[in-house]
Amino acid sequence: MLFFTQCFGAVLDLIHLRFQHYKAKRVFSAAGQLVCVVNPTHSLKYAPTRCAAAQASTEQGIPPPCHHHEAVHDPQLVPCTCPLFSCPWEGHLEVVVSHLRQTHRINILQGAEIVFLATDMHLPAPTDWIIMHSCLGHQFLLVLRKQEKYEGHPQFFATMMLIGTPTQADNFTYRLELNRNQRRLKWEATPRSILECVDSVISDGDCLVLNTSLAQLFSDNGSLAIGIAITTSKVHSSEAEM
């Protein structure tokens, strides 16, 4: 009976996943769009990350804590960019993607246009949905976070970060689109560099922000489908001169 129960539960989970995938394809029926069903990460210990702790210390006029290893710290090393964990990892920018995939099991999709289907939107804050998006020769990190910016009033924040430098990020434009029940909502902006810290972007509100009622308006049975498109927004100066 135990074996039967476990197998039956796995089959139900698979049916539910396929149903969520079908719903997303029904909403975003454009040819060539890939659908990624993203489950939430909830009830994690949101220990302040190094960039968040440094920002808080600066705002309070308190110098950031000093560690003995900082005297020999390599300025080319960057901390772990995954917003879900307080991860002590450091490495060069070109190996960040490998760290996110191998250590944190972050899924990656390829294509200029994809659909990000976040499930279980009803879960209490803080909750994160996250994937990597590979296109145009670069990797991007899409973060959807449910967070109480004001006590008792959870909001949803969606942003796209380039796993690269701020100069590289300026070459792209990303678009997030919600489309349901003859309503359409778009957010278009230049992605921020992952070096600038996801927490800071959300705190500044430089992203797509949805209150609970607006998120429910675009959700379907607790799932929110977000269409994502990335384009180049700037021609390199050398190409312009030619």
Side-chain angles (χ1 to χ4, degrees), residues 9 16 21 30 41 53 62 70 76 82 92 102 107 109 114 123 143 148 151 153 167 189 199 201-202 205 215-216 240:
H16 176 71
H21 185 275
T41 302
I62 303 174
E70 288 184 352
Q76 294 184 343
C82 184
H92 291 277
Q102 297 174 7
N107 292 327
L109 283 185
I114 64 174
L123 289 177
V143 178
E148 287 190 358
E151 186 175 357
H153 298 280
T167 301
D199 294 334
V201 175
I202 292 177
Q216 290 176 350

Side-chain angles (χ1 to χ4, degrees), residues 17-30 32-38 109-110 113-118 131 225-226:
L17 184 65
R18 295 296 298 175
F19 180 64
Q20 295 285 359
H21 185 275
Y22 168 76
K23 288 194 301 181
K25 294 200 71 171
R26 184 186 60 191
V27 175
F28 291 87
S29 58
Q33 284 188 310
L34 299 176
V35 179
C36 182
V37 179
V38 184
L109 283 185
Q110 296 185 1
E113 296 187 9
I114 64 174
V115 176
F116 177 95
L117 182 65
I131 62 168
I226 304 177

Side-chain angles (χ1 to χ4, degrees), residues 6 44 47-48 50 79 136 147 159 165 210 231 239 242:
Q6 291 177 342
L44 290 171
R50 273 166 289 184
L136 301 175
Q147 178 176 305
T159 186
T165 66
L210 305 172
T231 57
E239 296 177 351
M242 293 177 63

Side-chain angles (χ1 to χ4, degrees), residues 220-231:
D220 184 10
N221 291 327
S223 297
L224 187 67
I226 304 177
I228 307 169
I230 299 178
T231 57

